[in-house]
């Protein structure tokens, strides 16, 4: 009897733990998700997010140095000028923990995950970082007017030919205009930026019309990595135009060809979401070819495969980059 009672209590406690965790994640802004391999602070929610497949980013790795003779020459003692895949999340932490406690948890987790600290600062030593995080990113003025209890760390990890840079900025909110949600004075907010640099260049490859024709003849399909979308959306990014031009050229040169346009994703996120996303992206490609290049809609059919058909391992970014693709199949 006692054993059954204990088992029942344990099961109830486990259910409550799962329910609490699920409730916290349910508070995330739709479409936002954690960066792989980095834990969120317990109970926190993602309030805002942004991501770009390719972006320029300046990572401060040293204190601000003021030039007494020419203020225009004042700058951080060191910084990294980076280019790569950028993900930015803004987290809200429930009332209670201090910025110091939250920051220490993140720092321990980053180091446990193999990240090397490049620079860290707190309070007065974060001078000018409030401008970096207050002026750029998905958060308006949330971080621009709260330097007193600020904490910052820049870190990097190299794995599988990809370097992942992290910029973490933690504050206790004091003041600022935040139109997206009601920020609470004294509450901790986190800005986590990650930039991946390395073997992501295969995403930029443009396949020519002749290569499309050859691949369809030999394999019945062609894999495209030059069509890019906004993060977790089906909006086609402007840098996709060269690849779309080549698809349109192929269809013009081969007026009798009919194609399936098939979207694929990596394994980040749920299966149902990725299935819907891949189909929406395929629909967007078809719609663009029809509206921009006057391709007959009867020649194209959109399909979504989601995460079901990977061509590489999803265990690292290099593999996930290969799985995020659009394919053309001969009907």
């Amino acid at each position: 009897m006692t054993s059954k009672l204990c088992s029942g209590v344990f099961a109830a406690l486990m259910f409550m733990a799962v329910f609490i965790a699920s409730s916290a994640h349910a508070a995330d802004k739709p479409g936002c998700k954690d960066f792989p391999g980095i834990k969120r602070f317990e109970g926190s929610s993602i309030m805002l997010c942004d991501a770009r497949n390719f972006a320029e980013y300046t990572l401060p790795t040293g204190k601000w140095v003021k030039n007494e003779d020419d203020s225009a020459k004042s700058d951080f003692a060191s910084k990294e000028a980076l280019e790569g895949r950028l993900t930015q999340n803004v987290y809200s932490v429930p009332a209670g923990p201090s910025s110091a406690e939250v920051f220490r948890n993140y720092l321990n987790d980053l180091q446990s995950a193999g990240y090397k600290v490049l620079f860290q600062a707190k309070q007065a030593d974060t001078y000018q970082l409030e401008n970096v995080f207050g002026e750029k990113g998905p958060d308006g003025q949330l971080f621009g007017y709260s330097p007193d209890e600020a904490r910052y760390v820049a870190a990097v990890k190299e794995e599988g030919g990809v370097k992942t840079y992290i910029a973490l900025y933690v504050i206790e909110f004091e003041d600022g205009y935040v139109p997206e949600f009601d920020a609470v004075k004294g509450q901790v907010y986190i800005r986590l930026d990650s930039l991946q640099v390395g073997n992501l260049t295969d995403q930029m490859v443009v396949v020519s019309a002749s290569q499309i024709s050859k691949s369809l003849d030999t394999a019945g399909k062609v894999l495209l990595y030059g069509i890019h979308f906004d993060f977790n959306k089906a909006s086609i990014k402007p840098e996709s135009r060269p690849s779309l031009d080549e698809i349109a050229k192929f269809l013009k040169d081969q007026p009798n060809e009919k194609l399936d346009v098939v979207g694929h994703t990596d394994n980040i996120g749920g299966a149902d979401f990725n299935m819907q996303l891949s189909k929406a992206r395929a629909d967007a490609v078809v719609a663009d070819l029809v509206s921009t290049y006057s391709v007959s809609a009867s020649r194209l059919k959109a399909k979504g495969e989601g995460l079901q058909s990977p061509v590489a391992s999803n265990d690292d970014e290099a593999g996930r980059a290969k799985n995020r693709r659009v394919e053309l199949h001969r009907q």
Side-chain angles (χ1 to χ4, degrees):
M1 182 70 176
T2 303
S3 176
K4 290 183 179 180
L5 178 62
C6 290
S7 297
V9 171
F10 177 76
L13 290 172
M14 289 298 294
F15 173 80
M16 290 177 63
V18 171
F19 176 77
I20 292 170
S22 300
S23 298
H25 283 68
D28 290 349
K29 183 176 179 180
C32 298
K33 56 188 177 183
D34 294 310
F35 184 77
I38 298 180
K39 301 175 185 177
R40 69 171 68 189
F41 189 81
E42 184 179 1
S44 62
S45 301
I46 306 177
M47 309 302 292
L48 300 168
C49 64
D50 190 25
R52 283 163 278 171
N53 276 338
F54 186 80
E56 296 178 338
Y57 190 92
T58 299
L59 178 73
T61 55
K63 289 176 60 176
W64 182 263
V65 178
K66 185 177 181 180
N67 188 307
E68 300 293 346
D69 299 322
D70 186 352
S71 60
K73 294 182 180 179
S74 299
D75 202 351
F76 293 102
S78 59
K79 58 187 180 182
E80 296 272 359
L82 305 171
E83 293 181 342
R85 187 183 186 203
L86 177 64
T87 302
Q88 298 172 302
N89 281 350
V90 174
Y91 293 85
S92 172
V93 177
S98 65
S99 61
E101 178 184 351
V102 173
F103 179 79
R104 178 54 59 185
N105 273 266
Y106 267 100
L107 186 61
N108 289 340
D109 284 342
L110 285 170
Q111 291 175 321
S112 296
Y115 283 87
K116 175 186 176 183
V117 173
L118 301 173
F119 171 65
Q120 61 176 303
K122 65 179 181 179
Q123 297 167 315
D125 288 341
T126 66
Y127 180 66
Q128 287 297 326
L129 285 168
E130 69 270 18
N131 292 330
V132 172
F133 291 96
E135 294 176 0
K136 297 181 180 180
D139 43 54
Q141 300 176 15
L142 177 62
F143 295 96
Y145 298 91
S146 305
D148 290 354
E149 291 300 326
R151 304 288 194 280
Y152 170 78
V153 66
V156 65
K157 176 182 179 180
E158 185 168 6
E159 185 177 42
V162 175
K163 282 187 176 181
T164 301
Y165 289 87
I166 296 294
L168 176 73
Y169 190 64
V170 182
I171 62 159
E172 293 178 17
F173 181 70
E174 298 172 29
D175 195 11
Y177 173 63
V178 187
E180 295 88 350
F181 61 91
D182 294 327
V184 179
K185 186 177 178 64
Q187 194 163 322
V188 173
Y189 293 91
I190 302 159
R191 169 81 170 269
L192 178 64
D193 292 359
S194 64
L195 192 101
Q196 294 173 301
V197 180
N199 293 336
L200 306 176
T201 53
D202 56 339
Q203 297 184 46
M204 304 302 293
V205 173
V206 176
V207 178
S208 68
S210 61
Q211 290 172 320
I212 292 174
S213 181
K214 182 178 180 180
S215 183
L216 287 173
D217 286 339
T218 57
K221 65 180 180 180
V222 56
L223 280 62
L224 303 175
Y225 292 98
I227 301 178
H228 308 284
F229 302 87
D230 289 335
F231 182 68
N232 274 354
K233 297 179 181 178
S235 305
I236 299 175
K237 298 172 77 69
E239 56 263 37
S240 307
R241 190 54 54 195
S243 289
L244 293 165
D245 286 344
E246 293 300 317
I247 299 172
K249 184 176 186 301
F250 165 77
L251 289 167
K252 182 179 179 181
D253 293 343
Q254 306 291 334
N256 295 322
E257 284 280 3
K258 293 185 177 182
L259 300 176
D260 288 337
V261 179
V262 186
H264 295 265
T265 68
D266 58 24
N267 70 338
I268 305 301
D272 290 342
F273 173 81
N274 277 310
M275 182 64 75
Q276 294 171 9
L277 179 63
S278 64
K279 176 60 164 60
R281 287 178 170 178
D283 284 333
V285 172
V286 169
D288 188 273
L289 291 169
V290 171
S291 62
T292 304
Y293 303 95
S294 300
V295 176
S296 173
S298 64
R299 299 177 63 191
L300 303 169
K301 184 176 181 180
K303 297 182 177 181
E305 283 288 320
L307 51 77
Q308 295 182 118
S309 303
V311 294
S313 170
N314 278 302
D315 291 337
D316 56 43
E317 176 51 30
R320 290 191 293 270
K322 291 180 180 178
N323 292 330
R324 295 189 297 269
R325 67 197 189 276
V326 172
E327 292 186 5
L328 302 178
H329 295 196
R330 178 173 278 152
Q331 290 185 10

